[in-house]
Amino acid sequence: MIRQAKGKTPRRPPPKKPSNNQKDPVGVYCRVRPLGAEDEECCIEVISNTTIQLHAPDGLKANRNGEFKETQYSFKKVFGIKTTQRELFEDVAKPLVEDLIHCKNGLLFTYGVTGSGKTYTMTGSPGQGGLLPRSLDMIFNSIGPYQAKRYVFKPDDKNGMEVQNQVDALLDRQKRDSQTAVPKTPTARRVDPEFADMISPEEACKADGVDEDSSYSVFVSYIEIYNNYIYDLLEETPFDPIKPKPPQSKILREDQNHNMYVAGCTEVEVKSTEEAFEVFWRGQKKRRIANTQLNRESSRSHSVFIIKLAQAPLDADGDNVLQDKNQVNVSQLCLVDLAGSERTSRTRAEGSRLREAGNINQSLMTLRTCIEVLRENQMCGTNKMVPYRDSKVTHLFKNYFDGEGKVRMVVCVNPKADDYEETLLVMRFAEMTQEVEVARPVDRPICGFAAGRRQRNQAFKEELTRRLEERGGPLDGESPTVLNQLLQSFPSLPPCEISGPNDDVTLPRLIEALEKRHKIRQMMIEEYNKTANMLKSVLQEQDSNLLSKDNFIQEQRGKLGEKDKMLQNQKNEIDRLEKKSKMLEYKIDILQKTTNIYEEDKRSLQQELESREQRLQREVSEKRRMETRMQGIVTDAKLKWEKECERRVNAKQLEMQNKLWVKDEKLKQLKAIVTEGKSENRQPQRPSREKDKVPAKRSASPSPVPTGPPVRPLHRRSHSAGGERWVDHKPTTNVDLDTVLQPNIPKAIKVNAPNEKALSKCDKYLLTHQEVASDGEIQTKLIKGEVFKTRGGGQSVQFTDIETLKQENPVAAGRKRRSSETGPDGETMEGDWTDVETRCSVAVEMRAGSNLGPGYQHHGYPKRRKP
Ligand code: ADP
Ligand code: MG
């Protein structure tokens, strides 16, 4: 038979094979359960179908000064409180079941704090079946018609599966039937109300592309890992009510393909969803009982439900499972309900339970560490050892992370405020897990038989039955049609009616004919065999052709995959570059704007600079103008002052000359007196007396130089008391000296400052002037003058005489005698020096309207003012 031509290639490729290096990140989903009570504080908000946002609860905010912010976490998908179990299944578990049926492994676990809905998600509740019952249902819906008979597949206790021959399988089946008096009809079975309605038939799901040329069998195992011990929940232990045996823990082993498995773990073959779920429920009950008996906390244990699917190709006839262990394919889906992820402090565990809790915590810690190391290895290209062996949970699933199957995780969260801090930790773990990539499981090559064997066989059988029925069926004693036709092609039998016992004609003739027929038959058989062999070889050839073509297609697929990956990479690169270019464009935009602003600034600054420069220019020219003007003024002033100085110098010179002349005169007079005294008492004569008697009116003359000898005012005093009117000028600065001798002038007009009006009314002027004499005493001079009318309509005063009043301390006076006081009476003495003074006859002219009076500047000698 063709069976000999089956491929000897092992179906299960050697470990560490991955021929493709495509990787997928661990699929992490998030499910938010509804709050227990509606008025509870909620700290989670679903903000999109991939993102949730955590808000710190009010109490916590107050505790930490409100420094808490909202944090967002993204997942492959987020399922809000309204998500139905079915929706979750469709997204999360359905692809894993499809993979299972297509010979790929899968691992699905629920992670979260106790009470967050892990068990609800995995197992569900009556009417709300979770991922587990739904997965089972989908498997049986898909492989239902193609299931092998019970015990055809048999676990080999080394994590493998072998195919029993039909007889052994039949014997096993009979044994089972006799042992368990199970009612044959499922309808008669009582369904446990605890898990009734877990699966509703209207929500049935089915995988596509089930290989119909294979035969399938489902095996389930259910284990619990508590305190880092593995317990088999399906183990049948004879119940001893007197001395209940404590459960025995199991160990982990590695099979020949380096996959981990629980050694000696019960694997129950199940043929329907109900049966499978019943087995699960049995384990669940056992778990509960054990927890109660041993006072354990169920939230502290991990439960692992393993669904194994064995499949093997049908033989070439499409009748039976191929009796070849190498052709058996086993894939498994592990559904793990992990222990609560909260820290020990939350459960008020004590003593040994605290230790246990620590251990359970330890296994989740190890899971976290493994994920961290995996992520680090992948991100940094390092090759750090992943500590899978540190706990049973991670050790059992290490192959998954090494690329033996898809890994998915449902992170369950309860939005209540109490869980906030633990939920934060869960979120961080989940985020990290998403970054781990797991090698994509490869497609396994299929057995080298022509496809559609089951159908072909079925069709053939149907056709045969049909034809048999057409002819009334073989049961009527008639030969079937094919046989008839064949028989017709044989030489007809001679009449075989034997005439008598000695009929030696008929019998030999019959024998001859039969022998002839026999020969023909032999020939036909030979012919048939020949043709059959030929056909077989042709078929084999075609089979191998097909196989090579398949291989070729496989190869091409691989290449296509690579190309796809390349394409994907390039797309990613393009995406990255696009993002970068957008970023750069944005930056350019910003820079452009900044440049514009700067240019604007520059322009305005330039304008300001220009205006300032203009102002400066203006100021400079202004300054120049000012300078020239000032220079002009300075030159003018200089000139003026030079002239003034010259004038004053001249005046001084004149004055000095005058004084010199006066001294000369005195000297002459002295000489004359001396000479007279010597001769007969001659009267002293003054040569220019006549000229003095008539003082010239010099109102307009700038020069005070006297033209003749000075006036002798002593003679005037005699007629001074006539009808003349005086201006008595006493400056307010004068000091009252309390003197006895005071000028007494009748009808005088008394003024403090001379004015034109007073001058015009009078013809005499008297100025009382005080000064300090050389001996330190104050002396008062009475300066007298005559008032003239000027041609310009003003008044001018010509000083004519000075009288001096002087007080003396009698003591000091005795000692200090002036050399000139030689005369016997004061008159001579007075006249002596007054005479000199009076020679400075000075004319002061006052202009009409001028407020400068002659007394304006009184010094030791009269001063002439320039008009
Ligand atoms: P865990 O296994 O994480 O400790 P459970 O699955 O036992 O939590 O959930 C605790 C309770 O909350 C159960 O009564 C469960 O029915 C309920 N629950 C959890 N998730 C949901 C959900 N998504 N919708 C409705 N009820 C839920
Ligand atoms: Mg639970």
Side-chain angles (χ1 to χ4, degrees):
M1 291 292 290
I2 294 176
R3 214 171 269 171
Q4 287 145 7
K6 70 196 169 215
K8 285 288 180 211
T9 43
R11 278 207 89 184
R12 202 181 255 275
K16 309 286 165 274
K17 65 309 149 165
S19 62
N20 68 336
N21 40 17
Q22 278 179 299
K23 288 186 162 192
D24 294 311
V26 173
V28 180
Y29 300 81
C30 178
R31 185 186 208 181
V32 186
R33 61 158 281 185
L35 281 169
E38 262 181 33
D39 55 344
E40 245 183 314
E41 187 185 356
C42 176
C43 61
I44 295 177
E45 194 186 329
V46 178
I47 56 175
S48 78
N49 61 359
T50 55
T51 310
I52 63 166
Q53 183 164 295
L54 261 68
H55 319 265
D58 289 339
L60 200 65
K61 266 185 215 158
N63 280 346
R64 313 235 170 142
N65 280 336
E67 65 190 31
F68 267 82
K69 281 183 287 181
E70 286 98 29
T71 38
Q72 292 189 353
Y73 297 92
S74 291
F75 301 92
K76 192 162 179 188
K77 195 157 182 189
V78 168
F79 300 97
I81 54 170
K82 295 217 172 74
T83 312
T84 62
Q85 297 280 60
R86 186 191 173 157
E87 283 164 356
L88 187 85
F89 172 78
E90 295 265 344
D91 274 317
V92 179
K94 198 177 166 187
L96 292 179
V97 174
E98 271 163 358
D99 274 5
L100 180 80
I101 289 166
H102 296 112
C103 305
K104 289 177 204 164
N105 297 328
L107 168 63
L108 172 65
F109 50 92
T110 52
Y111 185 93
V113 179
T114 298
S116 59
K118 297 184 296 296
T119 308
Y120 178 81
T121 298
M122 195 54 94
T123 312
S125 55
Q128 301 284 317
L131 298 178
L132 190 147
R134 282 170 198 275
S135 298
L136 285 172
D137 196 42
M138 180 171 166
I139 293 168
F140 286 107
N141 284 337
S142 310
I143 62 158
Y146 317 119
Q147 286 195 75
K149 287 204 177 95
R150 214 180 281 269
Y151 302 124
V152 168
F153 290 100
K154 195 178 180 193
D156 67 356
D157 292 333
K158 288 183 218 112
N159 205 28
M161 206 59 84
E162 48 196 25
V163 186
Q164 288 207 101
N165 65 51
Q166 292 181 33
V167 180
D168 287 345
L170 185 71
L171 286 175
D172 277 352
R173 279 200 293 276
Q174 280 174 355
K175 205 169 114 195
R176 177 182 186 264
D177 288 349
S178 63
Q179 270 177 0
T180 53
V182 198
K184 282 277 163 181
T185 44
T187 41
R189 266 199 234 167
R190 205 169 31 84
V191 178
D192 194 327
E194 273 196 286
F195 62 89
D197 307 325
M198 278 298 205
I199 311 113
S200 66
E202 60 268 22
E203 288 189 351
C205 228
K206 203 176 159 191
D208 296 325
V210 179
D211 182 6
E212 296 174 2
D213 292 319
S214 288
S215 216
Y216 301 84
S217 251
V218 177
F219 294 82
V220 294
S221 317
Y222 192 18
I223 58 166
E224 178 181 38
I225 303 176
Y226 186 91
N227 196 16
N228 215 24
Y229 287 108
I230 302 173
Y231 300 102
D232 182 356
L233 293 174
L234 301 182
E235 200 170 32
E236 302 274 1
T237 40
F239 182 63
D240 187 347
I242 299 151
K243 197 180 163 218
K245 244 173 86 186
Q248 292 295 303
S249 69
K250 303 279 176 196
I251 57 160
L252 288 179
R253 284 235 174 91
E254 195 177 74
D255 67 10
Q256 56 176 9
N257 296 317
H258 303 286
N259 289 326
M260 300 309 299
Y261 71 100
V262 181
C265 180
T266 315
E267 288 174 270
V268 182
E269 185 173 12
V270 284
K271 291 290 163 207
S272 69
T273 311
E274 289 75 23
E275 194 188 344
F277 199 73
E278 209 175 273
V279 171
F280 166 76
W281 209 251
R282 205 163 72 217
Q284 190 74 356
K285 271 185 183 162
K286 198 169 165 186
R287 186 180 168 203
R288 263 191 245 159
I289 293 167
N291 283 340
T292 325
Q293 277 180 354
L294 302 170
N295 188 25
R296 301 192 310 203
E297 211 179 311
S298 69
S299 70
R300 286 285 171 204
S301 71
H302 315 280
S303 75
V304 184
F305 189 74
I306 303 166
I307 306 169
K308 257 189 194 175
L309 181 68
Q311 52 185 301
L314 291 171
D315 61 14
D317 296 337
D319 258 340
N320 293 307
V321 176
L322 198 64
Q323 298 275 313
D324 180 1
K325 194 182 176 182
N326 290 328
Q327 294 291 351
V328 179
N329 198 309
V330 184
S331 47
Q332 66 177 29
L333 173 61
C334 293
L335 303 173
V336 188
D337 187 356
L338 286 172
S341 71
E342 63 273 7
R343 289 163 293 188
T344 325
S345 63
R346 255 175 64 111
T347 58
R348 290 157 289 278
E350 293 162 4
S352 67
R353 282 190 50 187
L354 180 69
R355 247 194 332 279
E356 289 166 9
N359 265 333
I360 293 154
N361 233 14
Q362 192 57 46
S363 60
L364 284 181
M365 277 288 286
T366 310
L367 178 62
R368 276 194 280 268
T369 314
C370 289
I371 296 277
E372 255 170 59
V373 175
L374 276 169
R375 188 183 63 148
E376 195 188 319
N377 280 349
Q378 286 170 11
M379 285 189 157
C380 315
T382 50
N383 201 12
K384 251 178 150 177
M385 207 198 53
V386 186
Y388 293 120
R389 285 164 186 272
D390 287 2
S391 88
K392 293 285 194 289
V393 178
T394 50
H395 198 187
L396 180 58
F397 299 122
K398 87 179 197 13
N399 311 103
Y400 284 95
F401 291 102
D402 286 340
E404 199 56 55
K406 234 181 224 165
V407 185
R408 290 191 166 186
M409 179 166 91
V410 182
V411 174
C412 298
V413 282
N414 189 342
K416 70 173 180 186
D418 289 352
D419 278 3
Y420 175 74
E421 282 187 275
E422 290 296 340
T423 304
L424 269 184
L425 297 180
V426 170
M427 290 295 128
R428 281 187 205 132
F429 171 68
E431 275 210 325
M432 188 174 68
T433 308
Q434 291 192 97
E435 286 172 17
V436 173
E437 289 192 324
V438 173
R440 189 178 294 174
V442 284
D443 284 322
R444 285 164 187 172
I446 49 157
C447 143
F449 292 127
R453 298 188 298 287
R454 188 193 294 272
Q455 260 185 351
R456 209 182 48 208
N457 197 16
Q458 193 72 29
F460 177 73
K461 276 181 186 159
E462 275 166 15
E463 178 66 15
L464 199 65
T465 335
R466 195 180 59 80
R467 288 205 187 176
L468 284 176
E469 274 167 2
E470 250 175 34
R471 295 220 118 235
L475 293 176
D476 298 347
E478 267 191 43
S479 321
T481 330
V482 189
L483 225 56
N484 259 357
Q485 280 172 355
L486 274 175
L487 283 179
Q488 276 163 17
S489 62
F490 285 109
S492 58
L493 288 177
C496 42
E497 239 170 78
I498 298 163
S499 50
N502 297 326
D503 188 350
D504 48 359
V505 181
T506 316
L507 278 174
R509 223 191 289 147
L510 197 64
I511 290 167
E512 194 190 343
L514 285 174
E515 271 174 354
K516 222 179 193 171
R517 278 192 166 212
H518 181 69
K519 244 186 226 159
I520 292 169
R521 192 169 164 255
Q522 284 292 300
M523 264 163 59
M524 278 173 86
I525 287 172
E526 266 169 38
E527 189 76 8
Y528 169 77
N529 278 345
K530 238 199 232 159
T531 320
N533 281 341
M534 225 164 70
L535 197 71
K536 218 188 264 175
S537 61
V538 168
L539 276 175
Q540 275 173 7
E541 209 175 288
Q542 280 184 356
D543 262 350
S544 65
N545 263 355
L546 214 66
L547 195 65
S548 70
K549 283 208 175 110
D550 265 350
N551 285 345
F552 179 72
I553 287 173
Q554 208 61 36
E555 228 170 76
Q556 293 298 322
R557 250 188 219 149
K559 279 186 191 162
L560 209 68
E562 268 167 36
K563 290 258 153 57
D564 265 353
K565 201 186 160 195
M566 240 158 71
L567 216 65
Q568 194 55 43
N569 283 349
Q570 278 173 358
K571 248 187 218 159
N572 289 348
E573 182 66 12
I574 288 172
D575 276 358
R576 198 180 60 79
L577 288 176
E578 266 175 9
K579 261 187 208 156
K580 204 169 150 186
S581 106
K582 255 192 210 138
M583 191 69 198
L584 286 177
E585 269 171 19
Y586 177 67
K587 274 189 187 164
I588 288 173
D589 211 36
I590 288 176
L591 285 178
Q592 195 76 48
K593 277 180 190 157
T594 321
T595 313
N596 285 349
I597 290 171
Y598 279 145
E599 268 173 7
E600 194 77 8
D601 278 0
K602 195 182 141 195
R603 260 201 300 280
S604 71
L605 283 175
Q606 254 170 356
Q607 274 176 2
E608 202 186 317
L609 194 74
E610 272 166 23
S611 72
R612 280 192 187 190
E613 261 172 11
Q614 280 174 1
R615 221 161 58 209
L616 198 73
Q617 213 72 43
R618 272 204 307 276
E619 275 169 10
V620 165
S621 60
E622 184 73 16
K623 202 175 130 199
R624 280 216 195 94
R625 256 206 327 273
M626 200 80 146
E627 255 174 26
T628 39
R629 222 171 63 205
M630 287 323 264
Q631 256 165 10
I633 291 171
V634 166
T635 354
D636 276 359
K638 208 170 132 191
L639 271 171
K640 203 171 112 192
W641 283 110
E642 268 173 7
K643 271 184 192 159
E644 177 68 15
C645 283
E646 209 180 271
R647 193 187 54 74
R648 287 190 188 171
V649 167
N650 285 343
K652 199 75 183 172
Q653 260 176 359
L654 274 177
E655 188 194 317
M656 286 327 225
Q657 269 176 3
N658 245 351
K659 278 188 179 167
L660 210 66
W661 184 81
V662 168
K663 287 236 169 79
D664 251 7
E665 203 59 28
K666 267 185 183 172
L667 223 60
K668 269 182 200 163
Q669 283 177 6
L670 217 61
K671 219 162 133 186
I673 291 163
V674 171
T675 337
E676 265 175 54
K678 273 179 185 172
S679 59
E680 303 101 48
N681 284 327
R682 260 192 325 184
Q683 284 293 307
Q685 271 190 354
R686 299 206 174 186
S688 315
R689 181 143 314 168
E690 285 78 14
K691 264 181 197 170
D692 285 332
K693 276 178 191 165
V694 190
K697 185 189 164 190
R698 291 184 198 104
S699 61
S701 165
S703 168
V705 184
T707 44
V711 179
R712 186 91 183 161
L714 292 174
H715 308 291
R716 285 224 188 135
R717 196 171 279 184
S718 54
H719 67 266
S720 65
E724 293 151 336
R725 195 137 181 232
W726 287 83
V727 171
D728 182 9
H729 176 194
K730 271 190 191 146
T732 45
T733 49
N734 281 4
V735 186
D736 187 8
L737 293 172
D738 205 18
T739 45
V740 180
L741 286 175
Q742 297 274 346
N744 182 20
I745 312 159
K747 285 200 289 181
I749 297 174
K750 287 196 169 105
V751 291
N752 290 332
N755 57 63
E756 215 192 335
K757 198 178 157 201
L759 285 172
S760 65
K761 287 181 186 156
C762 306
D763 39 13
K764 292 280 187 181
Y765 171 81
L766 175 71
L767 170 66
T768 312
H769 172 70
Q770 286 180 336
E771 63 184 31
V772 180
S774 53
D775 57 0
E777 298 292 340
I778 291 179
Q779 68 183 19
T780 307
K781 288 185 178 175
L782 303 175
I783 304 165
K784 292 181 280 183
E786 274 172 59
V787 180
F788 297 97
K789 287 218 168 17
T790 62
R791 263 178 301 173
Q795 315 292 327
S796 86
V797 176
Q798 191 181 359
F799 293 110
T800 50
D801 198 6
I802 297 174
E803 285 176 38
T804 305
L805 304 171
K806 199 171 171 208
Q807 289 163 292
E808 259 177 58
N809 189 334
V811 186
R815 272 184 280 133
K816 275 173 113 187
R817 296 210 71 90
R818 281 168 66 156
S819 58
S820 60
E821 286 173 35
T822 45
D825 54 85
E827 206 181 328
T828 323
M829 209 176 71
E830 190 191 46
D832 228 19
W833 59 268
T834 309
D835 186 54
V836 178
E837 293 289 327
T838 46
R839 271 161 182 75
C840 317
S841 51
V842 177
V844 176
E845 185 185 273
M846 289 189 71
R847 246 178 200 204
S850 166
N851 51 2
L852 289 175
Y856 191 67
Q857 287 179 331
H858 283 291
H859 298 284
Y861 52 90
K863 195 168 174 197
R864 199 166 173 260
R865 285 183 67 85
K866 205 177 169 184

